[in-house]
Amino acid sequence: MESKEKLVHPTFAEAFRFWVKLGFISFGGPSGQIAIMHTELVEKRRWIAEDRFLNALNFCMLLPGPEAQQLATYIGWLLHRTWGGIVAGAFFVLPSMFILWALSLVYVRFGTVSWIASIFYILKAAVLAIVLSAVLRIGKKALRNHVMWGIAALAFVAIFFLKLPFPLIIAGAALIGYWGGKLAPHYFNIQQGHSSKSPPTVLEEGKPHPSPGWKRAFKIISVCLLLWWLPLLFIFFWLGPAHTIFQEGLFFSKAAMVTFGGAYAVLPYVSQQAVENFGWLSATQMMDGLGLAETTPGPLIMVLQFVGFVGAYQHPMGLPPLVAATLGAFITTWTTFLPCFLWIFVGAPHIEQLQRKPKINNALSAVTASVVGVILNLAVWFGLHLLFPERKLDWFALLVAVVVFAGMTRWRWNIMAVVAGSGLLGLIHYFLKAS
């Protein structure tokens, strides 16, 4: 009876409610968001198997743009095809889009939103614990022998200490897995697939997904390109090519094509262009925007919306400042995230097809191991910035992280309750500190 219950496919309405809820609790940047999705979708709800989740994550990490939002889109597509992917990807962004718009307005009107950082101070410590517990769980399942542990360790060293590009690390791991699978297959042939040892998931008995083909790809590319460029063309004819809003849309359309390696790899490039080349905002404002994006749910790359808002607010060029800022925020968010749907809808059927090939699975096993090292890198980066804000250990944040980590790993605390409770504790901390 228990197994049958786990195989019930979620309705579109049930999945819709989950994606909306995820949009409001997806704190902690990509590492936190991946951890939350793994806990909810793989372990608690069992909508997707461990190996398919990790293979989807491998693919998303190779794409330009925010990998966590793309992972949600991919899983939404697996569950309910195109509309499932659209809902999952859109609601991953929409809550943070409106929250950040409101915070950006407070920022340009009053000059500071430090109270937001105080409220989310405890929440970020809890997210660190959620990330570390997820890394531990994923590592136990993906790193099944010393070779896989070695690949994960090499990936961590390569990205954390040597600062090697992520695509290069993934390519190296794939080559190791491909050739290692030929020379020593017992070390690399560890993809579980849907073996009897794996807990059953709802996707095992789903309908076959669309096969990749030129006709399907051409249709998706045509529709996405039309939706992508239609608002830009409207602004071009309405306000002209020199207007701030059109220039923002054009610049972030280009950035969407080359933003590999996650938000932290992209921000130096965007900061240089937005501050030094275009002069949309100052370096101090850019740093303030990054702080805002880090304390709100959704992808960290949402800081680009802040850039679009503040840039257009300060350079409205004939429009009311708030109208210009709102349009700037919209066009920036639109051109940043719409391409993500294009990459997933075109590429996902290929990934699903490749997973059925043994030689590819050997490569994917090595890639998965390297991704564990990369996620650990994100967790360490996040932890260092949280626990050592001024090069001194924040003991209170460490205490919160340790307590939540123990609760998540030993007593299986509900992740929704952890997020809500941490946010409430942060609010109490703010008022106690202010009194």
Side-chain angles (χ1 to χ4, degrees):
M1 182 65 67
E2 183 183 0
S3 176
K4 185 176 180 181
E5 183 182 354
K6 293 172 184 174
L7 286 172
V8 174
H9 197 286
T11 64
F12 184 83
E14 184 180 358
F16 182 91
R17 288 192 295 270
F18 171 76
W19 297 122
V20 171
K21 182 163 58 176
L22 179 66
F24 284 98
I25 66 168
S26 55
F27 294 93
S31 53
Q33 292 150 3
I34 292 166
I36 291 172
M37 280 189 282
H38 182 269
T39 301
E40 286 292 311
L41 298 175
V42 177
E43 297 187 346
K44 181 180 176 182
R45 301 170 190 266
R46 291 185 179 170
W47 287 356
I48 182 172
E50 179 86 25
D51 59 325
R52 292 182 83 176
F53 179 91
L54 293 174
N55 287 339
L57 177 59
N58 298 340
F59 171 59
C60 294
M61 282 192 157
L62 289 173
L63 299 173
E67 60 267 31
Q69 187 260 355
Q70 291 166 340
L71 178 61
T73 306
Y74 192 120
I75 297 173
W77 175 82
L78 282 176
L79 290 169
H80 295 106
R81 305 296 191 269
T82 302
W83 278 109
I86 291 172
V87 166
F91 279 95
F92 197 89
V93 174
L94 283 174
S96 59
M97 184 179 80
F98 288 106
I99 292 171
L100 193 57
W101 179 91
L103 294 178
S104 300
L105 178 59
V106 172
Y107 179 85
V108 296
R109 290 284 174 88
F110 301 104
T112 180
V113 284
S114 58
W115 57 275
I116 294 293
S118 298
I119 291 175
F120 289 105
Y121 164 61
I122 305 299
L123 185 58
K124 290 166 73 173
V127 167
L128 174 60
I130 293 171
V131 171
L132 291 175
S133 64
V135 171
L136 184 63
R137 291 192 305 270
I138 295 172
K140 285 181 178 178
K141 296 175 182 178
L143 310 179
R144 304 185 188 189
N145 55 58
H146 63 275
V147 173
M148 295 295 121
W149 276 98
I151 293 173
L154 284 174
F156 177 79
V157 170
I159 196 166
F160 188 80
F161 293 104
L162 304 180
K163 310 298 181 185
L164 293 181
F166 178 74
L168 182 63
I169 295 172
I170 292 298
L175 285 174
I176 292 173
Y178 182 81
W179 290 106
K182 290 186 174 183
L183 299 174
H186 56 287
Y187 286 121
F188 294 88
N189 189 17
I190 62 172
Q191 290 281 346
Q192 280 191 355
H194 305 307
S195 68
S196 58
K197 296 180 181 179
S198 304
T201 62
V202 299
L203 284 172
E204 290 176 14
E205 298 180 355
K207 298 178 182 178
H209 291 283
S211 300
W214 287 107
K215 184 176 180 181
R216 179 182 177 278
F218 178 78
K219 181 179 178 182
I220 292 172
I221 292 171
S222 300
V223 171
C224 286
L225 287 179
L226 180 64
L227 292 173
W228 185 351
W229 288 96
L230 212 55
L232 276 169
L233 290 174
F234 175 78
I235 293 170
F236 176 86
F237 289 110
W238 175 35
L239 300 173
H243 200 279
T244 304
I245 297 172
F246 180 78
Q247 289 297 315
E248 288 179 344
L250 197 61
F251 170 69
F252 289 112
S253 291
K254 296 176 184 176
M257 304 290 290
V258 297
T259 52
F260 294 94
Y264 300 114
V266 175
L267 289 175
Y269 166 69
V270 171
S271 298
Q272 182 184 32
Q273 294 296 313
V275 174
E276 298 178 12
N277 186 22
F278 293 103
W280 290 331
L281 70 175
S282 67
T284 301
Q285 289 174 326
M286 186 73 200
M287 292 303 297
D288 291 341
L290 180 59
L292 282 180
E294 284 186 324
T295 56
T296 56
L300 181 58
I301 203 69
M302 285 301 294
V303 67
L304 302 187
Q305 178 183 301
F306 176 85
V307 174
F309 184 100
V310 175
Y313 186 90
Q314 296 182 152
H315 304 87
M317 298 181 69
L319 293 176
L322 184 56
V323 173
T326 302
L327 290 174
F330 165 77
I331 200 66
T332 300
T333 304
W334 183 263
T335 54
T336 296
F337 289 100
L338 192 137
C340 297
F341 295 93
L342 172 60
W343 315 143
I344 296 299
F345 291 153
V346 171
H350 292 276
I351 300 302
E352 291 298 304
Q353 189 178 63
L354 288 174
Q355 290 182 50
R356 305 185 189 104
K357 299 182 179 181
K359 292 181 180 179
I360 299 298
N361 274 335
N362 292 335
L364 288 175
S365 294
V367 169
T368 297
S370 69
V371 168
V372 174
V374 172
I375 296 174
L376 179 60
N377 159 71
L378 292 173
V380 171
W381 189 97
F382 183 69
L384 289 175
H385 282 73
L386 173 68
L387 299 178
F388 298 91
E390 297 177 354
R391 299 195 176 186
K392 291 183 180 180
L393 178 60
D394 187 331
W395 289 100
F396 187 59
L398 177 62
L399 176 63
V400 172
V402 169
V403 170
V404 174
F405 180 78
M408 294 288 295
T409 54
R410 186 169 181 178
W411 298 293
R412 300 286 181 180
W413 285 357
N414 183 282
I415 197 167
M416 306 296 181
V418 168
V419 171
S422 301
L424 179 60
L425 183 60
L427 187 63
I428 295 170
H429 178 268
Y430 168 73
F431 283 118
L432 290 175
K433 190 176 180 181
S435 61

